[in-house]
Amino acid sequence: QALRRIRGGLVLRALARAERIAATEEEVEAEVNHALTQFAGTTNDAEQHLDLQSLKDLASSTIRNRKVFQFLEERARRNGT
C-alpha cells in the first residue's frame, strides 16, 4: 500500500505541474491558521510546538491535491464520464 500511495502522490504532483495547479499563499496561510487553532486553540501556542515550515509544506500539498482532484472531476463531467 505504501508504494501505491507514493505512486499516487507522484501522479498528482506531475498532473499539478503539467496543468499549473498550485496553492496560493493566501490558501496556505488560511489552512495553516486553521490547523494551528485546531492544534492548541490559539495560533501562538501551536507555533511554539510545531515546525511551521513543515506545516506550510503539508498545507500546500494538501491544497494542491484537492485542486487536482477538482480539476479531474470537472474534466470528467465535461467528458460525460
Side-chain angles (χ1 to χ4, degrees), residues 11 13 17 24-27 32 39 49 63 73 81:
V11 168
R13 188 180 308 164
R17 189 174 298 134
T24 66
E25 276 297 316
E26 294 81 16
E27 291 169 326
V32 166
F39 175 76
H49 301 287
I63 294 165
E73 288 171 357
T81 55

Side-chain angles (χ1 to χ4, degrees), residues 8-9 12-13 16 21 59-71:
L12 288 173
R13 188 180 308 164
I21 298 171
S60 180
S61 296
T62 301
I63 294 165
R64 182 197 64 219
N65 290 347
R66 192 179 308 140
K67 287 181 169 186
V68 169
F69 282 116
Q70 288 171 346
F71 168 81

Side-chain angles (χ1 to χ4, degrees), residues 4-46:
R4 184 179 236 164
R5 275 189 240 135
I6 291 169
R7 287 182 187 132
L10 292 173
V11 168
L12 288 173
R13 188 180 308 164
L15 186 55
R17 189 174 298 134
E19 296 297 330
R20 294 192 171 116
I21 298 171
T24 66
E25 276 297 316
E26 294 81 16
E27 291 169 326
V28 171
E29 202 62 37
E31 188 85 13
V32 166
N33 287 334
H34 177 72
L36 289 174
T37 56
Q38 294 297 313
F39 175 76
T42 66
T43 57
N44 290 336
D45 291 340

